[in-house]
Each structure stands twice: as C-alpha cells, then as structure tokens.
Amino acid sequence: MTKTDLRRTYRAARKAFVANLGPGVRERLERQLAAMIAPALAGVRMAGSYAAVADEIDPVWIEKQLGPHAFPRVAGPNTSFHQVEWSALVPGFQNIPEPPASARQVEPDLLLVPLVAVTLGGVRLGQGRGYYDRALAALRQHRPVRAIGLAWECQIAPALPAEPWDMPLDLIATPERLVDCRKYR
C-alpha cells in the first residue's frame, strides 16, 4: 500500500471509530487518555501540544494537567512552538488554530503529536507534509525532546513505511495503554 492509501485507510478507520462513540464516550476516553499519560508528564519543563481537528484524539484533558504549554505555529515549511492560552489561538495554516506570530516562542522538552497511524515501534504516519518531523528534528538538535503520539487504538498499524528523515516517537498513548516504543525497535 502507498502512504496515500494508508492515510485514506486509517483516516476512514478513525472517522468510523469516533462516529460510533455514544454520547459522552469520547470525552470519557479522552479523560482516560489523560490519566494514562500522566506518569509520562513527570518532570516536564515545557510541553508542546496541538489543537485537535475533527476526529483526532483531543489532548485538552492532558493540557489541563500540564499547566502552561505551547502550541505549534506553521510558517512556510517550518513549525515553531509558542506559549499561549487556548483563547489566544487564531485560525492558521489550513484553518487549524495556532498561536499568533506575536506569542512568546519556546522550545518544548516534550511534544504531544497528532497522527494518522503509528506502529508500536514509533513509526508515525502524519498528514504527509513533514511539519512534525522537521520540528522534532530541529528541537532535538538543542536538547532531548520526548515525543508522544496520541492515538485511538484503531490507529495502531502492524507496519508502516519509514523515510530516513522520519522522527520516531518515544511513546504512544491511547485511552487503553501507554507504549514505550523503544522496546519495539
């Protein structure tokens, strides 16, 4: 299967999964995710999160545990992280909420990462433009940065193609489990 086919397949699975959740179930699962990931947040100086779109798993309950944190801002091919409150986010690249250009730029030591699909070894299939791979590579040039992919169980793939520039995830968090990807490499 090509990456385009894989994206189509896993987006459809994610959409169907979320569409079949009963009233209140999605929020319960996202709160479960926040509880599952809590031990991995210990000692974090500054976390980078994201504004979920459509049926992506929403990190909002994790963000409530984090306190001040950052959101990504896309400028050309690059992504930077800026510390702001949710209320300060504005429509940005592809109409995804992001910080205004004037917001204070920071370098997170932990990154919550959205994804289309992921393997237990931390190979991530994203939207296809490489923003998170480039951002993670740039951040890791300065200091260690843990990357945690957030997923529904239906997004866990048995295998995915990986390119040399793909940045591996350290952990995967779902509402059901926290996976240390380094154990599967």
Side-chain angles (χ1 to χ4, degrees):
M1 246 190 215
T2 67
K3 284 187 175 184
T4 300
D5 293 334
L6 288 165
R7 283 187 185 92
R8 188 177 305 114
T9 298
Y10 282 97
R11 282 183 183 130
R14 181 178 69 187
K15 183 176 183 171
F17 174 79
V18 171
N20 287 318
L21 295 176
V25 174
R26 181 175 181 167
E27 181 179 324
R28 181 180 57 75
L29 291 173
E30 289 169 341
R31 285 177 179 261
Q32 250 177 249
L33 172 71
M36 186 66 63
I37 201 173
L41 303 178
V44 172
R45 181 186 55 79
M46 174 60 66
S49 190
Y50 63 91
V53 177
D55 45 26
E56 288 179 336
I57 198 158
D58 196 337
V60 68
W61 300 105
I62 300 168
E63 293 166 359
K64 291 177 186 289
Q65 296 178 75
L66 291 171
H69 58 281
F71 289 96
R73 177 176 173 72
V74 173
N78 300 314
T79 303
S80 55
F81 291 86
H82 302 261
Q83 184 180 345
V84 294
E85 296 293 325
W86 256 99
S87 59
L89 297 179
V90 297
F93 177 73
Q94 295 190 333
N95 216 29
I96 298 170
E98 68 179 23
S102 60
R104 182 170 76 94
Q105 188 169 341
V106 296
E107 289 192 354
D109 57 340
L110 178 134
L111 212 54
L112 301 177
V113 184
L115 50 85
V116 175
V118 66
T119 67
L120 293 178
V123 175
R124 174 184 164 271
L125 184 66
Q127 298 296 337
R129 293 194 174 106
Y131 287 104
Y132 272 91
D133 291 312
R134 285 191 300 279
L136 194 51
L139 289 168
R140 285 178 171 167
Q141 285 180 348
H142 299 117
R143 70 171 58 95
V145 176
R146 276 186 299 150
I148 304 175
L150 304 184
W152 302 109
E153 282 291 326
C154 65
Q155 294 175 269
I156 307 293
L160 291 169
E163 305 297 340
W165 55 83
D166 288 342
M167 290 283 104
L169 298 175
D170 300 299
L171 301 166
I172 301 164
T174 75
E176 289 79 26
R177 58 185 166 159
L178 183 63
V179 177
D180 185 341
C181 300
R182 296 162 290 199
K183 292 180 180 179
Y184 293 91
R185 291 189 191 133

